[in-house]
Amino acid sequence: MDVTVNGTSRSVPQEATVEWLVVKLLDRHPAGIAVAVNGTVVPPTSWRQTLSEGDRVELVMALQGG
């Protein structure tokens, strides 16, 4: 199925979850990452929700610095 991640179309497995997307695409542990699906912030406790065809996902990473 296809979802849009940060403005780019991506093909993901039918059973892909928010957590799967974060780990596979960013290749890192999800600490310091905020996720919104279709404009709604998804707390980490809900990252096991399955994505749907056409979902729009925004991933934002916290960075250290000044």
Side-chain angles (χ1 to χ4, degrees):
M1 83 176 151
D2 292 323
V3 298
T4 301
V5 181
N6 291 353
T8 302
S9 181
R10 303 254 185 188
S11 290
V12 299
Q14 284 295 121
E15 66 281 353
T17 63
V18 171
E19 183 176 42
W20 180 91
L21 192 66
V22 168
V23 172
K24 290 294 183 182
L25 287 184
L26 301 180
D27 193 31
R28 59 177 278 187
H29 189 271
I33 297 172
V35 179
V37 176
N38 300 322
T40 301
V41 174
V42 179
T45 55
S46 297
W47 281 11
R48 292 201 174 164
Q49 78 178 36
T50 304
L51 296 169
S52 298
E53 176 76 31
D55 276 350
R56 295 178 334 274
V57 181
E58 297 294 326
L59 304 175
V60 180
M61 291 183 287
L63 301 174
Q64 279 185 304

